[in-house]
Amino acid sequence: MKNIRTQLKRFQYFYPYTVALVGASVGGQVNFMSCAWHTALSFDPPLFGVLVSRKRFSHGIISKAREFTVNFLSFERVKLSAQMGRKSGHDLDKVKEFKLRLARSKVIQSPIVEEAYVSFECRLAEVRAYGDHDLFVGEVLAVHEEPGCFNAEGILNPGKVRPLLYLGSDFYLTVDQDTLKHVLPD
Amino acid sequence: MKNIRTQLKRFQYFYPYTVALVGASVGGQVNFMSCAWHTALSFDPPLFGVLVSRKRFSHGIISKAREFTVNFLSFERVKLSAQMGRKSGHDLDKVKEFKLRLARSKVIQSPIVEEAYVSFECRLAEVRAYGDHDLFVGEVLAVHEEPGCFNAEGILNPGKVRPLLYLGSDFYLTVDQDTLKHVLPD
């Protein structure tokens, strides 16, 4: 028998989700935040969506910049994820405080994060409110990937990179590369 | 130095994502499909979004039913994920063919999937097109969870359940429970 809950005070049964640093720069300000609520939206055109609370400092930055980058972290960067997720750009300059290493994008003005194993440059296509978060829809204009982390088809190589997974309430873990398998329906 | 790609023929650098069976029943028809493109959208109200291609049989079923369930699979169900993802309800009755065990929902008419370790009952709140997929936004009305899979706060227990993760192109893996850690920014 399963437990049934209809009072959903803490709705977080959907984890684990990978963690990305999401942010932008505009008018001399730059900010990134940890983000686990994200999804691919479309292959063609390539669209990627990130959820950002309206309370977040990054919400204003991305809205003004009309662009953002998405930067996926490996398990070794778990401390950085905690810092960029639990501290706010309202209170401190997180880039300076946590010594985030930024690099130039190829197409847009906002930087990517060097510590990431893969980064997306996105042009903001739409912002839409869903409950207490806004969905920022990005058209993916460029991908920067650490050599060896993906094969020629763009499939992640878990022998080379261990993606950071979030479980909610500051819990993290990563994948077990020994369980990798290719499965067809027969 | 990172590789930079601006020609994104196969855009799948965002994996791993967990796998859920998403579906509904309407007018005597019932269908589910494997879905890795999904995200939480809001805590309050609890909203959950799933991406469904307009070519999918489930697209019509969910649109007509105006409700759906989201059913997360463990790694042991990898074959079921491949079957429910690579075969179409246009061609066969997947529930019958793959002996899917369905159970009654508490609030809505569409069934949940017994094989899942956690299921969401969702009332369709909105459908919106993003490129080649539609985002189905569900208001989460009830959660069914296998006892022991989550703690009282709703955090997944990786010692009890190994969630199925998708890497794209029919590759799968799961988490390493020994890497679980609680990390704060200091």
Side-chain angles (χ1 to χ4, degrees):
Chain A
M1 281 297 292
K2 285 177 181 161
N3 300 325
I4 305 178
R5 291 173 205 275
T6 53
Q7 294 298 320
L8 301 172
K9 276 186 197 167
R10 289 202 75 126
F11 170 57
Q12 49 185 359
Y13 301 90
F14 39 79
Y15 292 121
Y17 278 167
T18 56
V19 178
L21 298 182
V22 172
S25 67
V26 68
Q29 282 191 305
V30 54
N31 195 63
F32 285 87
M33 56 171 263
S34 301
C35 172
W37 291 18
H38 53 69
T39 183
L41 296 168
S42 169
F43 280 124
D44 184 18
L47 299 177
F48 195 79
V50 300
L51 278 299
V52 181
S53 161
R54 288 178 286 277
K55 295 177 200 162
R56 289 291 203 148
F57 189 68
S58 292
H59 190 283
I61 299 276
I62 298 171
S63 298
K64 277 180 241 162
R66 306 291 303 167
E67 60 180 30
F68 58 95
T69 66
V70 181
N71 306 271
F72 289 88
L73 297 180
S74 68
F75 187 60
E76 289 70 25
R77 308 293 188 187
V78 61
K79 190 74 176 182
L80 181 64
S81 169
Q83 291 168 329
M84 301 300 288
R86 287 296 178 197
K87 301 290 182 176
S88 171
H90 286 299
D91 307 319
L92 77 170
D93 180 341
K94 289 195 278 186
V95 173
K96 194 178 283 180
E97 183 77 14
F98 303 123
K99 299 183 176 61
L100 201 65
R101 292 180 293 131
L102 304 178
R104 271 180 191 272
S105 284
K106 180 159 177 82
V107 183
I108 68 175
Q109 299 300 310
S110 293
I112 58 168
V113 173
E114 271 286 4
E115 283 87 346
Y117 63 86
V118 64
S119 297
F120 304 163
E121 297 182 31
C122 298
R123 181 194 292 141
L124 186 60
E126 181 176 316
V127 184
R128 192 166 177 85
Y130 291 106
D132 53 25
H133 282 65
D134 278 0
L135 176 67
F136 286 79
V137 178
E139 185 188 349
V140 182
L141 303 178
V143 172
H144 302 243
E145 38 135 343
E146 189 78 33
C149 290
F150 297 88
N151 72 12
E153 278 198 334
I155 305 296
L156 185 126
N157 174 3
K160 169 81 180 178
V161 62
R162 299 198 298 168
L164 179 60
L165 299 174
Y166 189 58
L167 280 182
S169 299
D170 306 299
F171 283 94
Y172 297 87
L173 80 175
T174 189
V175 301
D176 179 355
Q177 65 169 107
D178 294 337
T179 61
L180 180 68
K181 54 168 86 173
H182 189 251
V183 180
L184 293 171
D186 285 334
Chain B
M1 281 298 292
K2 286 177 179 160
N3 300 325
I4 305 177
R5 290 173 205 274
T6 53
Q7 293 297 320
L8 301 172
K9 275 185 197 168
R10 288 202 74 125
F11 169 57
Q12 49 185 359
Y13 301 90
F14 39 78
Y15 292 122
Y17 279 166
T18 56
V19 178
L21 298 183
V22 172
S25 68
V26 69
Q29 281 192 306
V30 55
N31 194 63
F32 285 87
M33 57 170 262
S34 301
C35 172
W37 290 17
H38 52 71
T39 182
L41 296 168
S42 169
F43 279 124
D44 184 20
L47 299 177
F48 196 78
V50 300
L51 278 297
V52 181
S53 161
R54 287 180 285 276
K55 294 177 202 164
R56 289 291 203 149
F57 189 68
S58 292
H59 190 284
I61 299 276
I62 298 172
S63 298
K64 277 180 241 163
R66 304 293 303 168
E67 60 180 31
F68 59 94
T69 66
V70 182
N71 306 271
F72 289 89
L73 297 180
S74 67
F75 187 61
E76 290 70 26
R77 309 292 189 186
V78 61
K79 191 74 177 185
L80 182 62
S81 168
Q83 290 168 330
M84 301 300 288
R86 287 296 180 197
K87 300 289 182 177
S88 171
H90 286 301
D91 307 319
L92 77 170
D93 180 341
K94 289 195 278 185
V95 173
K96 193 178 284 181
E97 182 77 14
F98 303 124
K99 300 182 177 60
L100 201 64
R101 291 180 294 130
L102 304 178
R104 270 179 193 273
S105 284
K106 179 156 177 83
V107 183
I108 68 176
Q109 299 300 310
S110 294
I112 57 168
V113 173
E114 271 287 3
E115 284 87 345
Y117 64 87
V118 64
S119 297
F120 303 163
E121 297 183 32
C122 298
R123 180 193 294 140
L124 187 61
E126 181 177 316
V127 185
R128 192 166 177 86
Y130 291 106
D132 53 25
H133 282 65
D134 278 0
L135 176 67
F136 286 78
V137 179
E139 185 188 350
V140 182
L141 303 178
V143 171
H144 301 244
E145 39 139 340
E146 189 79 34
C149 290
F150 295 89
N151 74 11
E153 280 198 331
I155 304 297
L156 185 126
N157 174 3
K160 170 82 179 177
V161 63
R162 299 196 300 168
L164 179 59
L165 299 174
Y166 189 58
L167 280 181
S169 299
D170 306 299
F171 283 94
Y172 297 87
L173 81 176
T174 189
V175 301
D176 179 355
Q177 65 168 108
D178 294 336
T179 60
L180 180 68
K181 53 168 87 173
H182 189 253
V183 180
L184 293 171
D186 283 336

